Amino acid sequence: TSSGPGGGVSNVKDINQRNAEIGFSYGNTTYDGYLGRGKYREAQKNVRHFATLYPAAFQAAVRRDSAVRTYADLKDKHISPASGSGPALVRAIVPP
């Protein structure tokens, strides 16, 4: 069965709360949950990474006249991925 909206973030929370035994999520989403950062209010210490099933590429499109040329250029920019989705957590790949 599905946990419903929120995808990978909800799946990590469900595993941590023992509402599910296995869930799918991006590695960076699970890691953020384990540390209690990003979309998580507290550390989700009852989660473990089991396997990486496929590589997931992040894609971005900007206007040709944009100053954005690399992911690092996205720092402090407003972006609009689907709320709660794995790609919405792209901040994990943007350097501090």
Side-chain angles (χ1 to χ4, degrees), residues 56-64 66 68-75 77-81 87 90 93-94:
F58 287 105
Q59 300 175 16
V62 298
R63 292 173 36 139
R64 183 174 285 152
S66 171
V68 174
R69 296 287 179 243
T70 69
Y71 280 104
D73 295 336
L74 293 173
K75 184 176 180 187
K77 300 285 191 276
H78 297 280
I79 60 174
S80 60
V90 72
I93 64 168
V94 177

Side-chain angles (χ1 to χ4, degrees), residues 3 10-11 13-23 46:
S3 68
S10 293
N11 290 342
K13 290 177 178 178
D14 282 347
I15 295 293
N16 186 66
Q17 296 168 359
R18 301 186 192 283
N19 294 329
E21 294 178 13
I22 192 167
N46 187 42

